[in-house]
């Protein structure tokens, strides 16, 4: 028994963007005519107009404009705001699809196995949660190496089990979240060090929060990607770390978890 769901966006507790209305907006964009769009959906001309009026009335910015007269005899077009709404809706629809696929993977309604759903809403304590795209998957006998391309242009490698790859349904091109505990991030001011750790991300210290024993260091690695490391207060002093210092954030591949 698979799980499925439609996507509806509301304004002031009123249905605003429903899938039928999205189909209508797409048809208007394609045909430039309410009459032709209504036939494509299909729905009545009156129903199409009522849907457009409802959307325009609920929205603070018009979504559909109707032009009368002119050389071409007028027509109906989406505003820039209307086109942006369509794009946003389809982005949300894609995320909803991933969520439903995940629900179907971990849930068996026929046997009543629903307890694992709690995993989807869990809050985790790891400070570093960085979004990236799976660039490569190398399967081994037991473990797999997952290469993730970050929006900053950096790549990181995570080692997880082959069964985890299967359970997550990972494929090249999937958007994932790399989860890293701040205590597993090492810092170095020497870029030429030879290390066994697979991941070394160059960045600039953006903030340091000193405590009595430990310090939290925020490193900007580019394009709003940031890594947080927790080191001892003595290390801050010994390494002469301060805001603006160039450092390498070093992370073992086995210390990077992957979420979807």
């Amino acid at each position: 028994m698979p799980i499925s769901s439609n996507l509806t966006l509301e304004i002031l507790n009123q249905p605003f963007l429903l899938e039928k209305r999205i189909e209508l907006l797409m048809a208007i964009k394609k045909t430039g005519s309410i009459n032709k769009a209504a036939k494509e959906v299909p729905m009545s001309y009156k129903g199409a107009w009522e849907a457009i009026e409802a959307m325009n009335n609920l929205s603070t910015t018009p979504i559909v404009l109707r032009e009368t007269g002119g050389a071409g005899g007028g027509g109906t077009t989406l505003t820039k705001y209307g086109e942006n709404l369509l794009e946003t809706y389809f982005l949300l629809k894609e995320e909803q699809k991933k969520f439903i696929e995940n629900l179907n993977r971990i849930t068996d309604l026929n046997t009543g196995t629903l307890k694992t759903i709690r995993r989807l809403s869990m809050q985790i304590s790891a400070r570093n949660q960085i979004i990236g795209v799976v660039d490569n998957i190398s399967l081994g006998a037991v473990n797999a190496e997952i290469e993730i391309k970050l929006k900053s242009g950096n790549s990181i490698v995570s080692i997880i089990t082959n069964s985890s790859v299967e359970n997550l349904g990972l494929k090249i091109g999937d958007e994932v979240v790399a989860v890293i505990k701040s205590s597993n991030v090492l810092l170095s001011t020497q870029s030429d060090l030879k290390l066994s750790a697979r991941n070394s991300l160059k960045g600039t210290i953006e903030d340091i929060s000193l405590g009595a024993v430990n310090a939290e260091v925020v490193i900007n690695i580019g394009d709003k990607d940031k890594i947080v490391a927790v080191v001892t207060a003595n290390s801050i002093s010994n390494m002469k770390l301060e805001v603006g210092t160039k450092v390498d954030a070093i992370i073992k591949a086995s210390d990077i978890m992957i979420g979807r």
Side-chain angles (χ1 to χ4, degrees):
M1 186 188 300
I3 302 169
S4 63
S5 175
N6 292 328
L7 178 64
T8 298
L9 305 185
E10 297 183 353
I11 291 181
L12 301 174
N13 295 322
Q14 295 294 319
F16 175 51
L17 291 182
L18 302 88
E19 294 196 352
K20 199 74 170 178
R21 290 181 181 178
I22 289 295
E23 291 176 19
L24 176 62
L25 293 178
M26 287 293 294
I28 288 172
K29 182 179 178 180
K30 174 185 173 183
T31 65
S33 162
I34 293 179
N35 190 35
K36 292 178 181 177
K39 290 177 180 177
E40 277 206 12
V41 171
M43 61 195 307
S44 69
Y45 180 80
K46 180 175 181 293
W49 254 119
E50 288 176 349
I52 290 169
E53 287 178 350
M55 286 186 284
N56 278 344
N57 288 337
L58 284 170
S59 175
T60 56
T61 304
I63 297 171
V64 178
L65 290 179
R66 188 178 188 188
E67 300 172 354
T68 57
T76 306
T77 60
L78 299 186
T79 64
K80 182 65 176 176
Y81 177 70
E83 291 187 357
N84 287 341
L85 273 181
L86 276 183
E87 184 178 350
T88 301
Y89 183 90
F90 286 120
L91 286 173
L92 291 172
K93 187 70 177 175
E94 185 61 28
E95 292 303 312
Q96 184 200 36
K97 179 184 174 183
K98 292 178 184 177
F99 178 78
I100 295 297
E101 286 175 351
N102 200 17
L103 273 182
N104 278 310
R105 272 198 302 271
I106 68 172
T107 306
D108 186 353
L109 290 176
N110 294 320
T111 60
T113 307
L114 300 171
K115 292 182 180 178
T116 50
I117 286 180
R118 288 196 59 189
R119 290 186 294 170
L120 299 176
S121 60
M122 282 194 333
Q123 300 293 319
I124 60 177
S125 60
R127 284 295 309 276
N128 298 298
Q129 300 176 43
I130 308 173
I131 295 175
V133 174
V134 175
D135 207 28
N136 190 47
I137 300 175
S138 299
L139 294 173
V142 178
N143 294 325
E145 286 189 1
I146 313 297
E147 186 174 344
I148 303 165
K149 191 82 168 180
L150 308 180
K151 64 177 180 290
S152 59
N154 290 297
S155 290
I156 57 176
V157 175
S158 169
I159 293 179
I160 60 176
T161 63
N162 291 339
S163 59
S164 294
V165 174
E166 184 179 351
N167 291 338
L168 289 169
L170 288 183
K171 303 182 299 297
I172 292 174
D174 283 347
E175 186 176 82
V176 295
V177 179
V179 181
I180 311 157
K181 292 176 64 177
S182 54
S183 57
N184 288 335
V185 180
L186 305 178
L187 299 182
S188 173
T189 54
Q190 301 178 45
S191 296
D192 57 350
L193 285 178
K194 293 183 178 179
L195 301 165
S196 60
R198 290 291 303 275
N199 302 293
S200 182
L201 303 170
K202 297 184 183 302
T204 304
I205 294 179
E206 191 174 89
D207 186 53
I208 298 176
S209 300
L210 276 172
V213 178
N214 293 325
E216 187 177 84
V217 183
V218 180
I219 304 108
N220 190 330
I221 60 173
D223 200 13
K224 299 183 180 179
D225 276 342
K226 297 177 184 180
I227 294 284
V228 178
V230 170
V231 299
T232 64
N234 284 338
S235 295
I236 298 292
S237 176
N238 295 338
M239 297 175 67
K240 297 181 172 56
L241 299 181
E242 59 185 26
V243 173
T245 300
K246 303 290 185 183
V247 294
D248 285 4
I250 300 162
I251 311 156
K252 292 171 61 177
S254 56
D255 287 335
I256 299 179
M257 296 174 283
I258 294 177
R260 287 191 67 189

